[in-house]
Amino acid sequence: MKTLVLGAGIIGISTAWHLLERGHEVIVVDRQPDAALETSFANAAQISVSYCEPWANRQAPAKLLKWMFRNDAPLLFRPQLDWQQWRWGLQFLSQCHDAAFERNVRQLVALGSYSHAALKDVVRATGIEYQRLERGIAHFYTDPAAFDEAGKAAELMQRFGVNRKVVSREELLAIEPAFRHYDRIVGGTYTASDESGDARVFTQQLAALCAARGAQFLYGHDVTRLETAGGGIAAVHVRDTATRVAQRLVADDVVVACGSYSAPLLRQVGVDLPIYPGKGYSATFKLKKPELAPFVSTIDDEVKVAMSRLGDELRVAGTIEVSGWNATLDTPLAQARCRMLAERIERVLPGVCDTRTEAEGGNPRFWTGLRPATPTNIPYIGRTRVRGLWVNAGHGTLGWTHGAGSGKAMAELISDRTPRMAFGFLGYEAPRDTLRGEAQAA
Ligand SMILES: Cc1cc2nc3c(=O)[nH]c(=O)nc-3n(C[C@H](O)[C@H](O)[C@H](O)COP(=O)(O)OP(=O)(O)OC[C@H]3O[C@@H](n4cnc5c(N)ncnc54)[C@H](O)[C@@H]3O)c2cc1C
């Protein structure tokens, strides 16, 4: 069977790998010159099975209103003249209650656990090295009220089989002493089984292994059009971004794994999924004092920023902005958010990173990416109503965590097997307790 995979981010490349494992002939198309050059490029690096709570929760609407005009807000909704954004916003609000939250968390944990096992299998089979640290993920709090709530979230996770435990300030600092100088910490949570590592390095290495196993890569090619005939996918039209030469590609199956851009592409053929960009930022700093830097990947709850050590650098990343398709760092808001990352790291880990600006002789690497966000935070993995057209997109804040498993699940579905997890796959009957509260067939 010949399968076209559109998109060479973590999701597309994992899909390609698992399809090759099942004997498919694979062609991967991406507009970029290499894998993982868009959202999978410089994320927070966390493999976070346990910290998977969606942004849509009971408190979110009030917070959104409060934060609307703050440039440093962790979650920012800036209305645009864009119907898709408003519709996405309304669907997000419809998920902001306890029953939806629990239902969504349950599925995210199921996918996360499945994916973590799949990632370990790939690493074992390939030996890929990507600055992996199996030191768990910690989460620290500075607000006592938020810390109280953390206990409830940990309980919920424990109910779903994730061992997230509440720890006192002293226990947290014993787990990760790097934060001992930050006296505002009141406590935290910790999950030993989570981990961290560089998603870009992993994805690019896996892409190289896919090529070595015979996958064909059409980099530098824009997917311009999906063509259907008789209710099925007939062809994919692509164009060389340099020469403008067009090609019509034909395959038995087509998987759309184009991150946020999956939604407009799928709408061409009447498949309408609420995937909308959630812009986020990261900064990567050289370590000035490696001996004082954390090994445990950590979330700073007050500003919702994650920190992960990648060799002799620290990646600091976070915040989400639902404000349209602008993917540049070249706006006053983007500049303010980058500054916030540098200032925050100086506050919690003073003197540890080289946070000097370029003008001051430093070399921080700022980056922004558009998370393919869904109102539930649950990705769309499965088949569309167009025969032979599949989707693997909408992984939002957790695409690195869910990448290996989403690729494996997609390859299983295409190979007529049902993945063993309690997850509502698109176009399949969902297990009773995993219904996402939205239409499953698209
Ligand atoms: C600041 C930030 C921090 C994050 N931290 C974490 C984290 O710690 N842990 C975690 O699990 N997740 C994290 N994420 C989320 C994660 O990075 C994403 O969910 C994931 O990268 C999405 O992968 P993808 O393959 O779907 O999309 P992408 O990586 O964007 O891949 C899609 C590919 O499709 C290609 N493409 C799109 N349209 C076309 C077209 N028309 N023609 C040709 N090619 C096309 C693009 O070039 C791209 O390569 C974070 C995200 C951000 C922004």
Side-chain angles (χ1 to χ4, degrees), residues 178-194:
F179 298 103
R180 65 188 172 279
H181 300 297
Y182 191 49
D183 52 16
R184 293 191 55 227
I185 295 175
V186 294
T189 58
Y190 177 65
T191 312
S193 51
D194 283 338

Side-chain angles (χ1 to χ4, degrees), residues 131 331 409 437:
Q131 306 284 10
T331 67

Side-chain angles (χ1 to χ4, degrees), residues 9 11 30-31 38-40 43-46 223 396-401:
I11 304 301
D30 200 290
R31 59 189 171 198
E38 295 207 1
T39 319
S40 305
N43 65 26
Q46 296 193 321
V223 176
T397 53
L398 289 168
W400 172 215
T401 304

Side-chain angles (χ1 to χ4, degrees), residues 6-13 29-32 34-48 199 221-224 257-262 265 278-282 306 308 317-319 367-372 392-403:
L6 312 182
I10 177 64
I11 304 301
I13 295 300
V29 184
D30 200 290
R31 59 189 171 198
Q32 299 289 348
D34 198 350
L37 293 186
E38 295 207 1
T39 319
S40 305
F41 185 74
N43 65 26
Q46 296 193 321
I47 295 294
S48 170
H221 279 73
D222 249 323
V223 176
T224 53
C258 290
S260 299
Y261 300 89
S262 304
L265 205 54
K279 191 173 184 180
Y281 300 87
S282 76
S308 295
T319 73
W367 169 83
T368 181
L370 299 180
R371 298 178 185 88
N392 201 352
H395 292 74
T397 53
L398 289 168
W400 172 215
T401 304
H402 292 160

Side-chain angles (χ1 to χ4, degrees), residues 234-418:
V236 173
H237 294 255
V238 303
R239 191 169 49 220
D240 190 308
T241 52
T243 62
R244 315 302 291 164
V245 172
Q247 278 185 67
R248 181 175 179 273
L249 306 174
V250 177
D252 300 294
D253 294 287
V254 174
V255 180
V256 177
C258 290
S260 299
Y261 300 89
S262 304
L265 205 54
L266 287 163
R267 267 183 217 119
Q268 290 181 357
V269 292
V271 175
D272 190 10
L273 298 177
I275 301 173
Y276 198 79
K279 191 173 184 180
Y281 300 87
S282 76
T284 308
F285 301 109
K286 267 256 170 286
L287 292 175
K288 257 189 340 201
K289 295 182 185 156
E291 69 285 4
L292 297 182
F295 280 97
V296 176
S297 183
T298 303
I299 299 164
D300 173 349
D301 186 73
E302 190 177 328
V303 289
K304 309 277 188 277
V305 156
M307 294 160 257
S308 295
R309 185 181 187 132
L310 298 171
D312 61 357
E313 297 186 320
L314 193 72
R315 170 77 47 78
V316 190
T319 73
I320 182 161
E321 203 180 293
V322 183
S323 59
W325 293 86
N326 180 310
T328 71
L329 286 172
D330 208 11
T331 67
L333 178 60
Q335 302 278 312
R337 278 161 116 68
C338 292
R339 255 194 324 275
M340 183 278 276
L341 293 176
E343 284 164 11
R344 188 67 190 176
I345 208 66
E346 273 308 337
R347 273 191 87 182
V348 300
L349 291 169
V352 172
C353 299
D354 183 355
T355 56
R356 288 174 305 160
T357 61
E358 272 185 36
E360 293 163 342
N363 187 24
R365 296 199 308 283
F366 293 108
W367 169 83
T368 181
L370 299 180
R371 298 178 185 88
T374 66
T376 54
N377 219 27
I378 298 172
Y380 290 96
I381 307 171
R383 64 181 167 213
T384 70
R385 65 164 87 92
V386 178
R387 209 175 45 260
L389 182 65
W390 305 79
V391 58
N392 201 352
H395 292 74
T397 53
L398 289 168
W400 172 215
T401 304
H402 292 160
S406 298
K408 182 175 175 190
M410 182 86 272
E412 290 196 334
L413 292 171
I414 295 177
S415 310
D416 278 337
R417 279 187 223 117
T418 309

